[in-house]
Structure formats: C-alpha cells, structure tokens
Amino acid sequence: MAHKFIDNYKEKGARKRLVELLRKKGIEDENVLASIGKVPRHYFFDETFWNQAYKDIAFPIGEGQTISQPYTVAYQTELLHIRKGDKVLEIGTGCGYQCCVLVDLGAEVYTIERQEKLYQRTKQVLPHIGYKAHFFCGDGSKGIAKHAPYQKIIVTAGAPFVPEDLLKQLSIGGILVIPVGDEKSQQMVTVLKVSETDYEKIVLDTFRFVPLVGDKAW
C-alpha cells in the first residue's frame, strides 16, 4: 500500500463536510466531532482511494479488515465519554484511525491487534503522524491484563458475548462499549461497572462489524 501524508485544503474541507454530516446523523458530542474533523482519515488509505476517505462508509484495509465507517467511530467514541487522561483499552487496532481519534481526545490508549501485518504497520505509522499509543499484538478478546484496570474499553469487532476478561479489566465506574450479536449483525452494548460484581448494561443500535476472533470470542 502506498501512503502519503499530505493534508491540504481539499482534505480539510472534506473533513468539515463529514463532521456536518455526522452532526445531522445524530452525533452530539462536540469534542468527538472536533477530533473527527482533525484526524486525517485519508492517511489510512492508499492514495488511489483518497476520494473515498471522507465518505461515510467502511473501506477495506487488507488482512480481511476494514476501516470503520466514520459514523460508527463517532458513535462508539461518544458512548465512551472520554475525559482527558482516561486510560483506554482498544480491542482491534486495525489501521489505527479509531486510536487516533481517542488520542486526540486526550486518552492514554493501549491498543491490541491480532493481525501481525496491521500491528507492524500501525505502530510505525501512528507515531510518524503524531499520535502516540501503546501497541500490542495478540488476542484482543483476552484484553491486556498486565496494564489493567482501564477507565474505558472499546471493542471494534463483533463479539458473540461480552468477554468476562474485559469486564474484569474495567475499573469501577468504567465504561465498556462492544458490538454483540452474530457474525452478520450486532447491537451496540454499553456496560457500566458499578462494583466488582455489578454491572449496568444498555443495548443500543444495530451495526455490522468484522468478527472478534480469539479464545474468548469466535
């Protein structure tokens, strides 16, 4: 994949239009919208496909994975209620776009990807374009226990259930956002950890993600 890191008026204008579209579709958190308007999504596309970068669509990135639809990124991020300094675990780094949005919001991100090629590419690209995170390669369905607890956990792949390991790694008062369902469609679920044994769960809208693969998932 040939990537260029050039961000001109054309791309910045396209991001402004994307932000307005997301606002019309119901995204209300102005901080999230500001980050979507700031992170150059076209950096994660081959230059040949830059004309697709600011459409509200998912797009293949190789290794059977996709860069999520901007609306989906904004929707999940809004549910997390990110505060500056939050320690966030991201399951499914992919190309790193969602990670950049979280970092731009001020989160300290621990992100894990099972695909070696995506992991190697992303851990090199993100620092190069100014977004620093902690990168790991492995089974995201197990989380990253050695760095727990996390104030927020976001899962960017569809799971058959909420993995118990992730609940254990969530701090009290923390929020987990995860799409749960079958391999064709999932409902977005938010889980608030009230105590070590008590959780509040809210089931929201329907989405379609690539499957979460691992010992604690598919």
Side-chain angles (χ1 to χ4, degrees), residues 3-216:
H3 292 271
K4 284 188 178 180
F5 304 115
I6 300 168
D7 191 28
N8 291 323
Y9 289 110
K10 181 180 178 181
E11 290 77 34
K12 291 175 182 177
R15 283 202 296 282
K16 286 184 179 179
R17 291 190 293 274
L18 175 61
V19 166
E20 289 309 310
L21 174 62
L22 297 180
R23 187 178 279 115
K24 288 178 182 177
K25 293 181 80 167
I27 302 300
E28 297 179 349
D29 189 319
E30 289 299 325
N31 290 328
V32 172
L33 290 168
S35 291
I36 294 287
K38 187 175 176 182
V39 176
R41 190 170 185 255
H42 65 283
Y43 282 4
F44 304 96
F45 288 67
D46 187 289
E47 189 180 5
T48 308
F49 301 111
W50 275 10
N51 64 332
Q52 304 294 313
Y54 296 108
K55 294 181 180 179
D56 191 25
I57 57 173
F59 200 82
I61 57 171
E63 309 305 313
Q65 306 296 305
T66 61
I67 181 172
S68 292
Q69 179 184 355
Y71 175 74
T72 303
V73 171
Y75 186 99
Q76 283 196 288
T77 306
E78 188 171 58
L79 291 174
L80 288 171
H81 299 285
I82 297 293
R83 296 176 181 174
K84 192 170 183 179
D86 273 351
K87 189 176 179 181
V88 179
L89 172 61
E90 180 192 28
I91 308 300
T93 313
C95 66
Y97 175 65
Q98 171 72 79
C99 182
C100 290
V101 171
L102 295 170
V103 170
D104 188 74
L105 284 164
E108 180 182 7
V109 181
Y110 291 74
T111 182
I112 184 166
E113 170 59 48
R114 65 182 293 272
Q115 294 283 355
E116 176 74 24
K117 287 184 180 179
L118 288 178
Y119 160 73
Q120 292 292 348
R121 182 195 306 163
T122 304
K123 77 171 186 176
Q124 292 175 18
V125 169
L126 264 61
H128 181 73
I129 62 176
Y131 296 92
K132 295 182 180 179
H134 307 277
F135 299 96
F136 299 85
C137 187
D139 182 354
S141 71
K142 297 178 181 179
I144 310 174
K146 67 179 179 180
H147 294 291
Y150 306 94
Q151 278 87 43
K152 311 289 167 62
I153 299 177
I154 177 173
V155 181
T156 63
F161 48 81
V162 180
E164 187 68 27
D165 285 12
L166 299 186
L167 293 174
K168 290 178 180 177
Q169 292 172 36
L170 191 64
S171 64
I172 294 173
I175 299 171
L176 165 64
V177 175
I178 179 172
V180 178
D182 57 31
E183 291 177 308
K184 293 183 179 179
S185 70
Q186 305 87 32
Q187 286 182 285
M188 198 67 71
V189 174
T190 63
V191 181
L192 173 65
K193 189 169 185 176
V194 180
S195 70
E196 286 297 341
T197 56
D198 296 314
Y199 303 89
E200 292 180 2
K201 184 170 76 171
I202 302 172
V203 180
L204 299 162
D205 298 320
T206 300
F207 289 83
R208 184 173 184 178
F209 284 78
V210 296
L212 177 66
V213 178
D215 286 350
K216 309 295 182 179

